[in-house]
Amino acid sequence: MSARQHPSIKWLGRFISIVGATLVLLLALPFAVPLKHYLPEVQALASEQLDEPVTIGSLSIRLLPLPSVALHQVRIGHRPDATIDTISTRIDPRSLFKPLKILTHVNLTGV
């Protein structure tokens, strides 16, 4: 066996390295982006849909095993009329890069 690699093997190794680095960056992205900046927009959208003021304590995103979003300490209404500890949703992976996201599961805890 010669010490030199075949050119196609070198390119395959580079391609695998680039794909791996891209995946690592995508998985680290939710931890690098401060999600609290999105809270006012999410609260405004929820308030508009419910015709009640909505306050959200925090927001978290997970990519694995399936993309999901969780809203924590959700308060609905002026008094508040309803409180929810956590609203967790799974997002259809095919809709991630589309303007309209499809939620496949919604789970409410601590209602």
Side-chain angles (χ1 to χ4, degrees):
M1 187 167 182
S2 70
R4 294 185 56 168
Q5 288 184 338
H6 193 274
S8 63
I9 293 176
K10 281 175 42 176
W11 283 107
L12 179 63
R14 288 180 184 166
F15 176 75
I16 290 172
S17 297
I18 290 170
V19 169
T22 302
L23 285 174
V24 167
L25 287 174
L26 285 174
L27 292 175
L29 188 63
F31 301 107
V33 175
L35 299 175
K36 65 181 176 182
H37 298 298
Y38 296 103
L39 281 178
E41 184 177 345
V42 173
Q43 290 176 153
L45 287 170
S47 297
E48 181 181 320
Q49 291 295 314
L50 297 174
D51 281 335
E52 292 283 338
V54 175
T55 305
I56 301 169
S58 64
L59 171 71
S60 61
I61 295 177
R62 286 188 298 165
L63 294 177
L64 294 175
L66 291 171
S68 63
V69 175
L71 307 173
H72 306 281
Q73 296 100 27
V74 179
R75 311 281 184 254
I76 303 169
H78 292 288
R79 288 182 237 150
D81 298 329
T83 60
I84 305 166
D85 288 339
T86 304
I87 301 173
S88 57
T89 64
R90 272 196 247 156
I91 303 169
D92 184 353
R94 294 172 293 201
S95 71
L96 280 177
F97 300 105
K98 296 180 181 176
L100 181 64
K101 307 300 182 243
I102 298 172
L103 304 178
T104 57
H105 294 83
V106 177
N107 186 29
L108 303 157
T109 55
V111 179

